[in-house]
Amino acid sequence: MRRLLAASSLITLACAAPALAQTAPVAATAPVAAQGVPKGRLSDAVKPVTYRLDLTVNPDNERFSGRTEIDAVLKSASRFVDLHGRDLGIKKAVATAGGKTYVGTWAQVDPTGVARLTFAEALPAGPVTFAFDYDAPFNTSPAGLFRVKVGDDWYSWSQFESIDARAAFPSFDEPGFKQPFTVTLRTKPGQVAVSNAPEVSKTLEGGLDVHRFAPTLPLPTYLVAMMVGPFATVEGTVPPTPQRATPLPLRIVTTQQNKDKMAFALEGSKGIVRHLESYFNQSFPYPKLDQITSPIMPGAMENAGADLYADPILIMDDNAPTGQKRAFGMVVSHELAHQWFGDLVTPAWWDDIWLNESFANWMGFRIGNEWRPDLNIGAGALAEGFEAMSTDALLAGRAIHQPIPTNEKIDEAFDGITYGKGGHVVAMIAGYMGDTKFRDGVRRYMAAHRYGNATSKEFFAAMADAAGDARIVPAMQGFTDQQGVPLITFAPGKGGYTATQSRYARLGTLAPDTRWGVPLCVRRLAVTKQSCQLLTTQSAPVKLAGKGPFIPNAGGTGYYRFELPAQDWAALIARASTLPGGEAQALDDSLFASFRAGRASPELLIASAVELAKNKDSYASDAGFDSLQALYTSGLMDDAAKTKFRGMLTTTFKPKLTAMGFSPAAGAYSKEDPETSEKRAQIVRRLTSTARDADLRRQIGDAARAYLAGKTEALDRSWFGTGLGIVVEEGGMAAAKDLVERALASQDPLFRPAALGAVSASGKDDIAKWVLNDLTDKRLRPSERLRMVGGVVQTAETRNLGFDWIKTNFDSLMSNGGGIFFASRLPALVGGFCSAERADEIAALMRPKLAGKTGALELERTIERVRSCGKLKVARTEEVSRAFAKLK
């Protein structure tokens, strides 16, 4: 699963949660056996062998119904069985064993969906078949079976990771249970039904189309897929490859309004499948591939043979913005990599989900880059890893790999540590081992556990065997089993440097002593070959040959930060414009981290930003000014310094834009080099937002108004957010209401969220109050409503107003449409504050309400971020302001 982890998408993530109980299960008050109910992993008392799912799914209705049969083996005789089911209206539950039928009593025994089935007499040990007749509510957010009205039609999809299959059918809902599923879907006549396996027949029975699918290969419950609706489809095949002798059937499946924009995804998916088959040296593991979209999916999901994506990830054409194409390449590569790493070989329990997601994240950037090198997708992996370091540097946190004892803790594993840090650690190990050895270790691991389960220990062993170096195992475990970011401090030494490791800590915090086995790769600028060693002691000499500035993180793949002597910082910054993208990003991350720790001067940050802006890599050229922007938005500049910073943006970027040229018209740069297009987009965002360039804002604002007047060729989709934001800012409440009406009347997967986002992030109190209190249009989907709340809270000008609203409405937010996913991300919405006083307010409000719940960890991170920012502001604002005052 690939979740959209940027701050702007946190509210979207909130919606991928189960609705709270809407219908009490039948016999919910029945007596339950006295033995303890599992709060996390089930025991081995029952082993499911196969499922038969027969569901009647009509998205027009608020509920669906079904019959589930599970063949299983009971380890020993028992009067009760623990399994899963959440908010299911169980009509009948029976077990058949040894030719005898036993009537069971169903009870859901905790909010996460643990259930107990009890019998008047003990079931015998051995084979048993459980059968359930039930109905259940559709969700309105992407969890379980959910439905959405798009235009005049209702559609339904499934999203079961992590523990939401239990909201669709009774099950043993854990990744360690893998078995075949035979799925039957009964639908309105003429509707499309999709599941994991190929459809083998469709008949009309009792006024319904009955879609029967072939039995799947062994799957865990979280990878089962069931989609129903009047979908538009386009079909093709992935041609044979050296790993696969026959064509692979491929479809794009989406809602009707997207029917004319499926060709890009169809062709792009073909290429990505071929690259993945080559890497794994195995054919695609399943007999067909459907690529499906939903308008409210918060990211993407790797259902075996039936991947599900947010609309904008797949729905585009060749004129789409570079950023959207990058997202397609990365996310589709990520999800399709999961078909092998996660689906074919699945973690035994959620404590190893990091391995799924970290590897797929690394593969997403790697394979995406192979698919379209011109998009520079690979550089995004390092950007995401360095971003994760900001979270990992907090004292409040977790290791990538950690025990997950209860169901409430499962969702905490799906965060930036798993994706960003995990992917960066995989890249580091691959870089240290060498690409071929690492790939061979992956292939060995996959072959040993094909269609089964595996653990981190088994993956590490495969890597050590391939590397021929047993030290790889403790080195990897040092990064996966420990929290924190290594700081490598370099001091001049004979023939090179002395490297000393410690745990990085921000100003005002003291990190515990931690030791890693750091794969340390360095070089001189004039030498392309890097020198690598495993730093296992606190200090060790680093020998270097060649001339030129010292590169402390060659390639930028090392998951560590570095500290340098003053002359080495100066020499490296002076050549920042010529560094490869990854090394340039590493420079910015370590320098800004040094500043936040109280060491590097703001003058160095300013000098680095200026030089990095000249770098040809679009990720690197943006990084330095991103760091300065963080000081601006956090209040570490006085008013005079802010004015100087805005002037610096203008003098740095306006000439660049003039040289590049600018037109807001649709398709103006569709044939241009993607890196150039992306740099233009970055420059335009800076000049129109922070620098407030009047001419540029007028040009884009006029184009946006022309677009809204029907001249759609006037505004390219790249400028939707900027242009519509200007329209709202200049037009006030009337423009905001008009734009919301246009958004709700549209099903365009880019325009609709951009328009709603422009309104929620207006920065105007009157509009924010209207959004929070009076925007009750029924066409506004629950996920969109929550996203708009987030837009208000995360916008600096309305942050205080939004926080006051959250304080008043916290309980209703937690209980109406948010669920456990929302709880885990809600605290981050108020993470933009920067003072100890606000940290205390957040703690007082949320700690009592989130204690012991899924959001508790993210709350502690947020409190620490806000408090740490406040300390930095007190300590360094005057120094930062003096540095900007020196600028001409």
Side-chain angles (χ1 to χ4, degrees):
M1 176 160 52
R2 172 69 188 186
R3 294 192 176 281
L4 306 179
L5 294 170
S8 61
S9 64
L10 286 169
I11 278 289
T12 311
L13 297 180
C15 304
L20 297 187
Q22 299 172 29
T23 301
V26 168
T29 58
V32 177
Q35 288 88 338
V37 173
K39 297 297 184 182
R41 197 170 187 174
L42 298 176
S43 74
D44 63 354
V46 182
K47 181 180 180 181
V49 175
T50 188
Y51 283 74
R52 291 176 294 280
L53 306 179
D54 189 333
L55 277 68
T56 299
V57 180
N58 182 351
D60 295 351
N61 300 330
E62 293 184 352
R63 299 179 71 84
F64 61 93
S65 61
R67 178 178 175 83
T68 294
E69 296 179 356
I70 309 171
D71 295 337
V73 176
L74 196 61
K75 187 175 182 180
S76 59
S78 178
R79 284 193 56 230
F80 69 90
V81 170
D82 291 327
L83 69 167
H84 297 112
R86 188 176 64 239
D87 302 335
L88 303 178
I90 300 293
K91 311 300 182 185
K92 182 180 180 181
V94 299
T96 302
K100 183 177 178 179
T101 298
Y102 301 77
V103 176
T105 300
W106 172 276
Q108 180 180 327
V109 293
D110 88 350
T112 68
V114 178
R116 179 159 284 182
L117 190 59
T118 58
F119 300 91
E121 58 180 301
L123 300 178
V128 59
T129 296
F130 300 102
F132 306 89
D133 294 327
Y134 65 98
D135 70 351
F138 282 108
N139 227 326
T140 56
S141 300
L145 280 183
F146 64 98
R147 69 175 191 140
V148 176
K149 192 174 187 181
V150 183
D152 295 327
D153 297 314
W154 286 94
Y155 299 79
S156 70
W157 299 263
S158 62
Q159 165 56 35
F160 292 158
E161 192 175 31
S162 57
I163 56 171
D164 290 322
R166 62 191 66 180
F169 55 92
S171 55
F172 297 86
D173 190 18
E174 295 184 357
F177 295 124
K178 293 184 75 172
Q179 56 281 302
F181 289 79
T182 300
V183 176
T184 299
L185 295 175
R186 300 173 188 269
T187 74
K188 289 170 57 178
Q191 297 219 317
V192 175
V194 181
S195 190
N196 305 90
E199 186 172 348
V200 294
S201 71
K202 183 174 73 171
T203 59
L204 185 64
E205 302 176 19
L208 296 175
D209 278 350
V210 181
H211 307 259
R212 292 184 171 87
F213 298 87
T216 70
L217 292 161
L219 297 176
T221 48
Y222 80 86
L223 292 175
V224 173
M226 295 179 282
M227 325 298 186
V228 171
F231 292 108
T233 65
V234 62
E235 299 184 5
T237 61
V238 185
T241 63
Q243 296 79 27
R244 177 174 37 80
T246 59
L248 174 69
L250 171 66
R251 283 192 306 182
I252 308 300
V253 181
T254 188
T255 52
Q256 284 292 330
Q257 87 282 359
N258 298 327
K259 63 183 179 181
D260 296 326
K261 290 190 175 182
M262 297 187 282
F264 184 94
L266 185 71
E267 292 306 310
S269 296
K270 293 177 184 179
I272 290 171
V273 168
R274 290 195 294 268
H275 282 290
L276 286 164
E277 288 182 323
S278 176
Y279 184 86
F280 290 113
N281 198 29
Q282 293 181 19
S283 65
F284 189 79
Y286 302 99
K288 60 90 177 173
L289 173 60
D290 288 324
Q291 300 274 74
I292 309 154
T293 82
S294 168
I296 67 167
M297 187 66 185
M301 178 63 207
E302 66 271 16
N303 307 310
D307 279 6
L308 180 62
Y309 302 85
D311 275 357
I313 296 172
L314 295 192
I315 302 304
M316 68 188 80
D317 56 28
D318 287 332
N319 294 327
T322 296
Q324 192 181 8
K325 290 178 180 176
R326 281 179 172 176
F328 173 88
M330 187 276 160
V331 177
V332 171
S333 297
H334 176 116
E335 300 308 324
L336 294 184
H338 270 313
Q339 300 291 308
W340 287 267
F341 214 101
D343 296 9
L344 181 66
V345 180
T346 306
W349 178 242
W350 296 110
D351 55 354
D352 279 324
I353 197 64
W354 76 269
L355 186 55
N356 264 23
E357 299 301 341
S358 300
F359 180 82
N361 222 49
W362 178 73
M363 284 290 283
F365 288 107
R366 177 201 171 96
I367 297 299
N369 209 63
E370 288 183 5
W371 168 68
R372 285 283 302 270
D374 60 313
L375 292 173
N376 194 26
I377 293 170
L382 299 181
E384 197 165 282
F386 290 127
E387 183 179 354
M389 287 186 190
S390 295
T391 298
D392 202 23
L394 300 171
L395 299 184
R398 67 175 188 88
I400 300 175
H401 180 223
Q402 64 174 14
I404 298 182
T406 66
N407 291 326
E408 288 85 358
K409 294 292 184 182
I410 292 171
D411 187 57
E412 289 180 353
F414 294 91
D415 65 359
I417 296 300
T418 290
Y419 292 91
K421 178 180 181 178
H424 205 133
V425 169
V426 170
M428 177 174 64
I429 298 299
Y432 179 77
M433 287 177 60
D435 192 63
T436 299
K437 286 184 177 180
F438 182 80
R439 182 204 64 195
D440 291 346
V442 169
R443 290 177 176 179
R444 186 174 305 182
Y445 168 80
M446 300 298 295
H449 304 287
R450 187 175 174 87
Y451 295 114
N453 296 95
T455 65
S456 298
K457 182 178 180 181
E458 289 160 324
F459 178 75
F460 293 152
M463 292 297 107
D465 287 346
D469 185 352
R471 297 180 305 162
I472 287 291
V473 173
M476 291 184 74
Q477 289 176 325
F479 284 91
T480 61
D481 294 356
Q482 295 185 120
Q483 180 193 349
V485 181
L487 174 66
I488 310 299
T489 300
F490 292 92
K494 187 176 181 181
Y497 296 83
T498 298
T500 301
Q501 66 165 297
S502 60
R503 179 170 166 178
Y504 172 81
R506 293 181 178 180
L507 181 70
T509 61
L510 181 64
D513 185 39
T514 310
R515 186 73 53 82
W516 291 266
V518 182
L520 189 64
C521 293
V522 301
R523 71 180 182 95
R524 292 283 188 188
L525 184 61
V527 180
T528 56
K529 185 178 180 180
Q530 60 188 32
S531 173
C532 295
Q533 65 190 76
L534 196 62
L535 179 62
T536 56
T537 56
Q538 184 173 5
S539 296
V542 176
K543 303 295 183 183
L544 275 176
K547 298 180 179 180
F550 174 46
I551 312 295
N553 189 348
T557 57
Y559 190 81
Y560 55 84
R561 286 169 164 166
F562 53 82
E563 189 66 62
L564 297 175
Q567 65 271 22
D568 286 288
W569 276 125
L572 190 57
I573 289 169
R575 300 299 297 274
S577 63
T578 66
L579 293 176
E583 293 173 354
Q585 289 185 63
L587 161 62
D588 175 72
D589 174 77
S590 288
L591 182 62
F592 192 44
S594 179
F595 172 83
R596 289 194 289 184
R599 293 185 291 270
S601 70
E603 286 83 359
L604 281 181
L605 288 183
I606 294 169
S608 179
V610 170
E611 291 304 313
L612 284 170
K614 304 171 187 176
N615 196 287
K616 65 180 182 179
D617 182 281
S618 62
Y619 288 96
S621 64
D622 216 29
F625 274 93
D626 276 348
S627 297
L628 296 182
Q629 185 75 37
L631 303 183
Y632 179 92
T633 56
S634 297
L636 269 81
M637 299 180 189
D638 61 21
D639 289 343
K642 287 182 177 180
T643 300
K644 287 278 191 174
F645 178 60
R646 289 191 292 269
M648 182 184 180
L649 290 174
T650 300
T651 57
T652 301
F653 293 111
K654 189 64 179 283
K656 293 180 184 291
L657 186 62
T658 300
M660 297 170 78
F662 177 72
S663 167
Y669 304 107
S670 61
K671 306 303 181 185
E672 188 178 51
D673 167 64
E675 277 287 270
T676 302
S677 291
E678 186 60 21
K679 283 192 173 186
R680 179 184 290 103
Q682 293 167 352
I683 290 171
V684 168
R685 284 192 291 269
R686 292 200 189 281
L687 291 177
T688 55
S689 58
T690 305
R692 309 287 296 178
D693 185 279
D695 291 339
L696 189 58
R697 287 174 59 85
R698 185 181 307 109
Q699 188 178 7
I700 298 176
D702 288 346
R705 281 181 281 269
Y707 179 94
L708 295 173
K711 297 180 180 179
T712 56
E713 70 279 5
L715 186 69
D716 191 83
R717 289 168 175 258
S718 301
W719 319 119
F720 273 1
T722 300
L724 298 176
I726 292 170
V727 168
V728 173
E729 185 177 342
E730 295 178 351
M733 181 66 79
K737 290 184 175 181
D738 175 68
L739 199 54
V740 167
E741 176 58 35
R742 291 174 182 269
L744 297 182
S746 171
Q747 301 300 331
D748 186 291
L750 289 185
F751 174 79
R752 181 170 171 135
L756 295 176
V759 172
S760 65
S762 70
K764 294 179 176 292
D765 283 0
D766 59 337
I767 295 175
K769 290 176 182 177
W770 175 68
V771 167
L772 294 174
N773 300 314
D774 300 317
L775 180 52
T776 58
D777 194 303
K778 292 183 179 179
R779 294 172 296 170
L780 188 69
R781 297 162 184 154
S783 58
E784 293 170 331
R785 165 70 176 158
L786 292 171
R787 193 184 303 122
M788 293 189 78
V789 171
V792 171
V793 179
Q794 292 175 310
T795 299
E797 294 83 356
T798 55
R799 183 175 290 131
N800 290 333
L801 186 155
F803 184 48
D804 289 342
W805 187 89
I806 282 181
K807 286 189 285 188
T808 301
N809 294 275
F810 189 89
D811 291 338
S812 63
L813 279 173
M814 290 292 294
S815 63
N816 292 313
I820 60 172
F821 280 111
F822 188 49
S824 69
R825 273 105 184 154
L826 175 59
L829 295 180
V830 294
F833 287 114
C834 188
S835 72
E837 293 76 18
R838 279 299 195 188
D840 291 340
E841 281 189 69
I842 294 167
L845 171 67
M846 297 188 185
R847 268 184 178 150
K849 299 177 184 295
L850 293 178
K853 298 180 181 178
T854 302
L857 173 58
E858 189 56 42
L859 171 61
E860 295 308 314
R861 286 170 169 165
T862 298
I863 293 168
E864 185 178 343
R865 283 190 190 101
V866 173
R867 194 181 306 282
S868 174
C869 183
K871 291 178 180 178
L872 189 67
K873 183 192 291 188
V874 170
R876 308 207 70 176
T877 295
E878 184 177 346
E879 182 185 3
V880 170
S881 298
R882 284 200 307 269
F884 276 95
K886 298 175 187 177
L887 296 179
K888 295 181 180 179

